[in-house]
Amino acid sequence: FLFKTLQGAFSVVYLATHKETGKKWAVKVVDKKSTSAKQMLSEIKVMSMLHHENVVNFNEIFDTPRAYYVVLE
């Protein structure tokens, strides 16, 4: 991760750079203690359906024992 860009009550957003391509990504890190799998799935479902120039695009999610890592364009 390059640096923290935003911090909210339930998550932190970092700016990350793909090592091979150099492409910049926003990575939202959501602590599993602050949200349920059902809530996370609902958020991902909504983000996956939205396609607008003023809305960040969902790319993928990584599920770890402590947190969800949501990769956004």
Side-chain angles (χ1 to χ4, degrees):
F1 296 113
L2 290 179
F3 61 90
K4 187 186 324 182
T5 58
L6 297 169
Q7 183 165 354
F10 304 107
S11 64
V12 179
V13 178
Y14 294 90
L15 176 63
T17 303
H18 190 280
K19 288 183 180 181
E20 295 175 9
T21 66
K23 185 169 181 168
K24 305 282 187 205
W25 297 92
V27 180
K28 181 178 179 180
V29 182
V30 183
D31 189 324
K32 285 188 171 181
K33 293 178 185 175
S34 66
T35 190
S36 70
K38 184 177 178 180
Q39 289 171 316
M40 199 70 232
L41 182 61
S42 177
E43 181 176 340
I44 297 303
K45 186 185 274 187
V46 170
M47 284 193 293
S48 296
M49 294 186 316
L50 296 175
H51 300 286
H52 189 276
E53 63 186 45
N54 295 329
V55 177
V56 295
N57 292 316
F58 168 75
N59 185 268
E60 63 185 308
I61 186 168
F62 297 97
D63 184 359
T64 68
R66 292 187 178 179
Y68 298 105
Y69 293 81
V70 183
V71 182
L72 307 165
E73 195 168 19

